Amino acid sequence: MSGRNGMKMQRREFLRVVAVGGGAAFIVACAPGVISPSAEPSQTSQAGGRPLSPAGGAPKRGGMLRARGTQLVHLDTTISQVGPELGLVYSRLLNERADFYEDTVKVPGLIEKWEVSADGLVYTLHVRSGVKWHNVAPVNGRPFTASDVAWNIDYYSKSSIRASNFAAIDHYEVVDPLTIKIYLKYVFAPFMDSISYQHIGMVPREVFEADGNFRQRAIGTGPFMWDVWQKDSLIRLKANPDYWELGADGKPLPYVSALEFSILGDDASAQAAFRSGKLDMIGGNLSDMKALKAAQPGILAEDGFRANAIWLQMNMRVKPWDDVRVRQAASLAIDQQEIISSHLDGDSIASGLIPSSLRDFAWQPDEVLKRYPQNIAKAKQLLADAGQTGLKVDLSLYTGPNDAAGAQIVQRNMNAAGFDVTIKTVPTLSVGQEIVRNRTYQLVFFTASSSFEVDDWTYLFWHSKGGRNLQGYSSPEMDRLTEAQRSATDPAKRKALIGQIQDLMLKDMVAAPLAHISRQHYLLNPVVKNFKTFHWVLAWPHLKDAWVDR
């Protein structure tokens, strides 16, 4: 079975995923806004993967493309989801198609091709010839080889937040500099997707050997090189002159000489920068994007699907959140419909803990509202049964105005059920990530942004060894079910298992779902040409294909 033809994921019929910017959404926080299904259709929507902004003749070399950046605490993508800018520096083993509209087929990246044995237990990966690490010490532009893949397998398996993505691997064999055989412990249906996840970039062993981590230096094989990092104001990347992929003019991509990401404190500052021409692209909530578009009719707009879910995450490692009755009471207190109608200008829909966008597996909005109804009286009774009266609770929140409104609804609802909730604002997204990673919270208003692979929403979050199980949930039954769905190659069997997982999520109240931002909205300066629309996180690597015409 060839990798290109054999590794299709389940989601097919709805995907027209696009984006032009935005910040990371691992945590609590104000993720960028989206276009609702009822909003006016984009006048620039394209089918078949054509660029959002027409090429406009032969590509131009040079120039700088400017966007809003992410305020980073560190650069280590292996221990937490940091800025999408790093996706331009690090390359992955496989990529999604640049025209990610009709399916989610994985295509070659650092791996040119791969084969799978008849029993599904042996994967032979062929490394792309001619790929070099960035020509920066201590790596100094050496070739990328199968031994680098092997080192990353060892590293990610032991030292990263993505360790569970590699859990199926039993051992590997480096056959030659460009070939590695990977032997699995069991059949794992999404294996190639799992080890090519959007935040699993290949990192160089030399940096780890020198620094003991990847927090301060970012050196990869991607189309751009880390250049300037001013933590509170600016990130600048420069073109990698040795990148392997060629443009339409026969020269190495990228076309632009640099990318500049301005770190702006709030949405109003970003919008002012876009209006004044200091930014070439921007994402935001529906009303803000409509206002900007109305003021500048020549600006290009686009909307698209995304896979995320907003939920109330509970730290089960601290009391009383280890008591399922308290967790159930918190969920029963919440009026999801009020949050949906008000949060992000009504630009969200009901969702369970698996986003509604994963239509082959997830409960859809009507089912979610039936399964997670508001019931204040029952919530009060559960708290009384648990011996909790006036339970004081800290709800951590990133300081975004839209999420603040949603958190205030949660606060009011929970207080009506007998809680005493205080909202604690988190100064930055990166600080919020550290709070979750260090488990120094009680409740978090959490925006989880992952992928269209359902394993990332089941095993990764809720298995006792899942890489993003930071809430302390542990259940032998959940472990059994999440492991079983990983090995289910029959779509019907896998769907049935995912249904059982969702039932158990509800029974154990592993988190309380709040809403799903199912669509996303961005604006683009027409001077940017050949930008390929894509899912918001995965859009950034495709900036290598864009150029500027100023």
Side-chain angles (χ1 to χ4, degrees):
M1 176 174 66
S2 73
R4 188 180 182 92
N5 296 323
M7 292 300 294
K8 293 187 178 182
M9 292 165 60
Q10 298 299 319
R11 184 75 221 112
R12 280 184 152 289
E13 69 273 11
F14 84 104
L15 290 176
R16 281 191 78 251
V17 186
V18 290
V20 191
F26 171 68
I27 169 126
V28 205
C30 186
V34 300
I35 284 189
S36 67
S38 61
E40 60 189 34
S42 166
Q43 64 186 31
T44 56
S45 296
Q46 302 278 2
R50 288 174 290 175
L52 167 63
S53 51
K60 288 191 175 183
R61 291 273 169 178
M64 180 182 292
L65 197 156
R66 303 160 303 175
R68 186 178 182 180
T70 308
Q71 190 170 31
L72 304 175
V73 174
H74 61 79
L75 307 180
D76 195 342
T77 63
T78 72
I79 62 171
S80 63
Q81 181 173 314
V82 294
E85 298 89 351
L86 274 298
L88 296 153
V89 175
Y90 295 116
S91 299
R92 295 180 293 146
L93 297 180
L94 302 179
N95 297 315
E96 285 75 15
R97 288 162 35 130
D99 59 346
F100 185 38
Y101 292 96
E102 299 171 356
D103 55 40
T104 53
V105 177
K106 289 291 187 184
V107 298
L110 293 176
I111 298 300
E112 281 190 300
K113 59 182 180 179
W114 68 101
E115 297 91 36
V116 186
S117 64
D119 62 5
L121 293 174
V122 182
Y123 285 70
T124 303
L125 279 55
H126 302 276
V127 175
R128 183 178 299 279
S129 177
V131 176
K132 297 179 180 179
W133 292 99
H134 294 161
N135 193 10
V136 178
V139 191
N140 298 317
R142 68 169 177 82
F144 178 84
T145 69
S147 294
D148 289 309
V149 178
W151 189 89
N152 274 264
I153 289 173
D154 289 340
Y155 175 79
Y156 275 100
S157 297
K158 299 173 183 176
S159 306
S160 80
I161 195 174
R162 301 295 171 191
S164 61
N165 291 57
F166 296 80
I169 297 175
D170 183 72
H171 66 283
Y172 57 76
E173 173 190 357
V174 176
V175 179
D176 59 48
L178 296 179
T179 310
I180 181 171
K181 283 192 174 184
I182 301 175
Y183 298 82
L184 304 188
K185 303 170 189 173
Y186 46 82
V187 175
F188 180 27
F191 175 67
M192 289 302 294
D193 180 74
S194 184
I195 65 171
S196 303
Y197 181 74
Q198 61 203 40
H199 297 292
I200 299 180
M202 294 292 100
V203 292
R205 63 180 181 270
E206 290 92 337
V207 170
F208 186 79
E209 290 166 356
D211 300 348
N213 57 58
F214 297 97
R215 295 178 68 90
Q216 298 300 318
R217 288 196 280 185
I219 302 172
T221 59
F224 290 90
M225 303 170 66
W226 199 257
D227 187 22
V228 175
W229 179 28
Q230 298 169 1
K231 288 189 177 181
D232 297 324
S233 58
L234 181 71
I235 295 170
R236 184 181 296 127
L237 309 181
K238 61 183 180 181
N240 172 15
D242 300 318
Y243 186 61
W244 62 269
E245 190 175 357
L246 301 181
D249 55 5
K251 300 176 183 178
L253 291 173
Y255 294 115
V256 298
S257 298
L259 301 174
E260 186 171 274
F261 299 95
S262 297
I263 300 169
L264 302 167
D266 52 42
D267 292 343
S269 299
Q271 292 159 23
F274 184 78
R275 284 194 299 269
S276 66
K278 294 178 181 178
L279 296 181
D280 295 315
M281 56 183 68
I282 190 173
N285 65 51
L286 179 61
S287 59
D288 287 343
M289 294 302 98
K290 281 187 173 182
L292 284 173
K293 181 72 173 69
Q296 302 181 75
I299 296 301
L300 303 176
E302 184 69 16
D303 65 309
F305 289 94
R306 60 184 284 173
N308 79 342
I310 304 171
W311 65 58
L312 192 66
Q313 179 158 307
M314 311 166 193
N315 186 354
M316 301 177 209
R317 298 175 186 273
V318 299
K319 291 185 177 301
W321 300 104
D322 58 342
D323 188 329
V324 67
R325 296 170 296 182
V326 177
R327 302 197 300 269
Q328 289 170 340
S331 179
L332 285 165
I334 295 168
D335 184 349
Q336 288 191 57
Q337 290 178 308
E338 183 183 4
I339 293 173
I340 292 164
S341 64
S342 64
H343 186 64
L344 293 174
D345 304 312
D347 198 21
S348 53
I349 62 174
S351 175
L353 301 178
I354 299 175
S356 299
S357 290
L358 277 70
R359 293 184 184 174
D360 286 339
F361 299 105
W363 288 340
Q364 294 305 297
D366 288 348
E367 182 70 14
V368 171
L369 292 174
K370 291 177 184 176
R371 300 276 192 145
Y372 291 89
Q374 185 187 39
N375 190 329
I376 295 292
K378 188 174 181 180
K380 289 181 176 180
Q381 184 60 55
L382 284 167
L383 281 180
D385 293 345
Q388 300 292 340
T389 303
L391 177 62
K392 293 186 179 297
V393 178
D394 287 337
L395 171 58
S396 297
L397 170 75
Y398 176 71
T399 55
N402 295 298
D403 282 325
Q408 287 164 8
I409 294 170
V410 172
Q411 179 189 41
R412 185 174 67 253
N413 290 167
M414 289 183 64
N415 286 350
F419 292 89
D420 182 3
V421 177
T422 299
I423 296 175
K424 293 181 64 176
T425 57
V426 177
T428 68
L429 178 65
S430 297
V431 171
Q433 291 176 337
E434 292 293 297
I435 287 172
V436 170
R437 178 172 173 78
N438 295 331
R439 304 180 179 94
T440 54
Y441 69 96
Q442 292 185 56
L443 299 183
V444 163
F445 196 82
F446 184 96
T447 299
S449 179
S450 186
S451 75
F452 286 90
E453 169 51 56
V454 71
D455 185 65
D456 293 332
W457 295 97
T458 53
Y459 187 100
L460 193 64
F461 278 108
W462 309 117
H463 190 281
S464 59
K465 296 182 180 178
R468 292 182 71 177
N469 185 348
L470 300 176
Q471 53 281 331
Y473 174 70
S474 180
S475 159
E477 179 65 3
M478 182 66 80
D479 286 356
R480 183 188 69 80
L481 289 170
T482 53
E483 289 169 9
Q485 66 80 25
R486 290 186 132 201
S487 300
T489 55
D490 176 67
K493 181 178 180 181
R494 197 175 190 209
K495 184 173 183 177
L497 289 164
I498 297 300
Q500 294 177 56
I501 289 170
Q502 291 179 97
D503 287 336
L504 186 56
M505 287 175 176
L506 174 59
K507 174 178 173 290
D508 286 355
M509 200 56 68
V510 294
L514 303 175
H516 169 38
I517 305 172
S518 61
R519 297 171 77 88
Q520 188 134 355
H521 212 39
Y522 288 97
L523 301 179
L524 181 71
N525 188 327
V527 302
V528 180
K529 303 297 183 182
N530 202 45
F531 183 86
K532 298 178 180 179
T533 57
F534 210 69
H535 180 274
W536 77 276
V537 171
L538 301 175
W540 296 98
H542 296 279
L543 287 176
K544 69 181 188 300
D545 300 300
W547 63 84
V548 291
D549 185 11
R550 300 190 197 278

